[in-house]
Amino acid sequence: SSEVLEAIENVIQGIFQSLAQNKAPVLTVANRTDWRNIEFKDSVGLQMIPACTTKQIRSDCPQSARRFALMLKILSMIYKMVQSNTYATKRDIYYSDTLLFGSQSVVDQIINDISCMLKIPRRSLHVLSTTKGFVAGNLSYTEEDGTKVNCTCSATAVTVPSNVQGIKNLTSHAKFILIVEKDATFQRLLDDDFFNKVSPCIMITGRGIPDLNTRLLVRKLWDCFQIPIFTLMDADPHGIEIMCVYKYGSVSMSFEAHHLTVPSVKWLGLLPSDLERLNICKDALIPFTKQDENKLASIQKRPYIACQPLWKKELEIMAASKLKAEIQVLTSLSSDYLSRVYLPNKLQFGGWL
């Protein structure tokens, strides 16, 4: 905490020095969304380069003065929370003054900018994000406040903890971890008691694009257990994008890649080649939209696809067919095909990339 307080004090000191010299204070933040500031490393994923381009948030410019003020406001809130050892969610910060902030996304972006500017992980700033992910299966752990959580005996999923850093005493006999893109598929596998039937496993869903806590939990489980991690996604550009976030990280959070990415993640399904192999009826597939075409084209250009020749091939199959499929398409073969046939066969015969 002293490191966080010192980092904030240095920023404020810089502002005072500018004012003392009759200069307009400026905050300098990295361009987090610029691909030119990103390098790809096989062992880490997408990470920000040390000499990245920056942008200035000036206090004397009408376009940025408001953002400058909001950054100072949130820095002061973080400073007080760290001093008093209290925590707040991003939502709490937004609701502390909705008129001032205007929208939740403004708060989210500023907190990420502050984290990047101070080079301090968001969790250390005492800002928690609300969790939307679920975990189930062969896992138990103790939360920071001493609450014991057992995911094994639960017929319903457990919410991913809001302070992943604080959980301890993780125990599991799981043979693998299965990341499921969608909540509906996750619930279906839960109803089918999948995590006990094939072999003990841990199932996680970020319910679409994963939030920070879900990504942190996947990384923590990997660090603790070093067991295979598989992803079960829709066979569409959006599903591939989500899988890449777990494996290689995202451009906007590349400054935290070392804590978030798990490059050993494998693509289990639904593969575009599976659709042909399983003779899925063409009528059950969905034609591409222009948005899908653009998304797929942008994924194909990304640096990590070059080092994944098998992935590249799958993306080419998808691009050629211009068709996509949701995992639910497997129910056209039989209602429990996913948990009874598809996943057990894939896991037994090594059908992942």
Side-chain angles (χ1 to χ4, degrees):
S1 62
S2 59
E3 190 190 327
V4 182
L5 296 176
E6 194 181 331
I8 296 173
E9 284 160 10
N10 288 340
V11 171
I12 303 305
Q13 203 172 357
I15 290 170
F16 281 149
Q17 280 167 349
S18 297
L19 291 169
Q21 293 161 7
N22 266 343
K23 289 180 187 164
V26 167
L27 294 172
T28 305
V29 297
N31 271 329
R32 289 188 298 113
T33 53
D34 191 339
W35 273 93
R36 289 170 300 182
N37 287 334
I38 310 298
E39 64 178 351
F40 171 66
K41 262 198 176 160
D42 228 356
S43 57
V44 182
L46 301 174
Q47 61 176 11
M48 193 172 268
I49 57 172
C52 67
T53 61
T54 56
K55 57 183 177 189
Q56 290 196 326
I57 297 168
R58 303 188 60 85
S59 58
D60 63 344
C61 166
Q63 282 83 23
S64 61
R66 176 179 157 72
R67 195 169 186 86
F68 180 91
L70 293 181
M71 281 186 81
L72 285 194
K73 167 77 173 166
I74 292 178
L75 275 168
S76 77
M77 292 172 87
I78 290 168
Y79 193 85
K80 283 175 194 155
M81 288 192 298
V82 175
Q83 266 188 327
S84 60
N85 196 25
T86 54
Y87 287 81
T89 65
K90 293 186 299 182
R91 212 160 169 67
D92 295 335
I93 291 173
Y94 168 59
Y95 278 109
S96 69
D97 199 331
T98 52
L99 282 176
L100 177 70
F101 294 119
S103 77
Q104 182 69 60
S105 63
V106 167
V107 172
D108 297 355
Q109 283 170 9
I110 287 176
I111 288 164
N112 285 341
D113 276 343
I114 287 172
S115 175
C116 187
M117 177 177 76
L118 302 178
K119 294 185 171 54
I120 288 169
R122 198 166 77 193
R123 306 165 295 295
S124 305
L125 301 177
H126 286 228
V127 178
L128 304 171
S129 50
T130 34
T131 298
K132 64 183 180 110
F134 287 131
V135 59
N138 196 296
L139 174 70
S140 59
Y141 56 85
T142 309
E143 289 199 341
E144 198 178 26
D145 62 2
T147 309
K148 287 185 168 54
V149 178
N150 188 351
C151 307
T152 315
C153 61
S154 176
T156 55
V158 171
T159 308
V160 167
S162 57
N163 188 356
V164 174
Q165 211 182 13
I167 66 172
K168 49 190 182 290
N169 307 330
L170 287 89
T171 53
S172 176
H173 303 293
K175 297 285 182 278
F176 63 91
I177 295 163
L178 182 66
I179 299 171
V180 183
E181 177 189 348
K182 278 189 182 147
D183 192 25
T185 311
F186 180 85
Q187 296 298 338
R188 181 66 214 241
L189 291 171
L190 206 58
D191 294 343
D192 290 349
D193 199 24
F194 173 76
F195 61 82
N196 285 321
K197 276 183 182 161
V198 182
S199 64
C201 74
I202 299 167
M203 297 196 315
I204 291 180
T205 180
R207 298 163 77 194
I209 295 169
D211 58 288
L212 194 70
N213 294 327
T214 305
R215 290 175 64 191
L216 282 168
L217 182 62
V218 171
R219 176 58 195 252
K220 182 143 193 158
L221 294 174
W222 164 247
D223 288 338
C224 282
F225 305 122
Q226 302 276 308
I227 52 177
I229 302 181
F230 301 113
T231 56
L232 180 63
M233 306 280 150
D234 286 342
D236 66 11
H238 189 63
I240 292 161
E241 169 101 283
I242 289 169
M243 171 174 60
C244 293
V245 169
Y246 284 107
K247 187 175 174 75
Y248 295 125
S250 59
V251 176
S252 63
M253 293 298 286
S254 57
F255 65 95
E256 269 212 64
H258 288 273
H259 309 288
L260 292 172
T261 59
V262 186
S264 61
V265 162
K266 301 278 183 258
W267 186 5
L268 187 70
L270 190 60
L271 303 179
S273 59
D274 288 340
L275 303 173
E276 208 166 287
R277 185 176 60 81
L278 298 170
N279 286 323
I280 301 284
C281 169
K282 278 270 183 354
D283 295 344
L285 305 178
I286 307 159
F288 260 25
T289 61
K290 188 76 191 129
Q291 206 179 359
D292 291 325
E293 282 182 48
N294 296 342
K295 168 79 77 186
L296 184 58
S298 91
I299 293 171
Q300 285 176 302
K301 290 193 197 102
R302 290 185 193 170
Y304 42 71
I305 298 299
C307 68
Q308 290 281 4
L310 296 175
W311 281 31
K312 201 173 168 197
K313 220 164 161 178
E314 293 291 334
L315 299 189
E316 282 163 4
I317 292 171
M318 193 186 282
S321 74
K322 291 194 176 171
L323 293 168
K324 58 183 182 177
E326 297 185 331
I327 298 161
Q328 284 83 340
V329 79
L330 296 176
T331 56
S332 66
L333 300 171
S334 79
S335 63
D336 58 351
Y337 191 86
L338 176 66
S339 58
R340 187 176 51 84
V341 182
Y342 182 81
L343 289 175
N345 283 352
K346 282 255 173 179
L347 292 161
Q348 190 179 345
F349 300 113
W352 57 80
L353 307 178

